[in-house]
Amino acid sequence: MEQVNWVSIGFGITFWLYGLFTLLMRQRKPSIFRKLEPMKKLWGEQWGVRIHFFGYTVMPIIFGSVFVWAGLNGQSIF
């Protein structure tokens, strides 16, 4: 069995937590997202929200999953 890389797993969990935090805050207190309004103005109401959601919620969860998987397989992200 390969050696687990705890640094990669730690970063992955941090990304997961950030993604989950932004997901919860979208439901409870969307006013904390300072960059959302400028993105809505630039891209329009629907696309601004979609791009913001993808960049600040979906991508961190995906990166977190990849980092945890890499860490469990003994690979370093650095």
Side-chain angles (χ1 to χ4, degrees):
M1 184 167 176
E2 295 181 30
Q3 183 70 18
V4 175
N5 188 304
W6 292 105
V7 174
S8 297
I9 293 173
F11 272 95
I13 291 171
T14 302
F15 276 114
W16 270 347
L17 291 174
Y18 180 76
L20 293 175
F21 172 76
T22 60
L23 184 62
L24 289 173
M25 287 297 106
R26 282 180 191 287
Q27 305 300 318
R28 295 186 181 175
K29 194 173 180 184
S31 62
I32 68 168
F33 298 111
R34 294 184 312 239
K35 295 179 184 174
L36 180 56
E37 287 305 317
M39 290 180 83
K40 284 182 182 178
K41 288 179 184 173
L42 180 64
W43 298 100
E45 184 74 27
Q46 285 186 337
W47 279 104
V49 171
R50 288 176 184 168
I51 292 169
H52 191 273
F53 178 76
F54 186 75
Y56 288 94
T57 303
V58 175
M59 288 306 296
I61 292 171
I62 290 172
F63 282 135
S65 299
V66 170
F67 288 178
V68 167
W69 178 82
L72 291 173
N73 286 309
Q75 298 175 356
S76 175
I77 58 171
F78 295 107

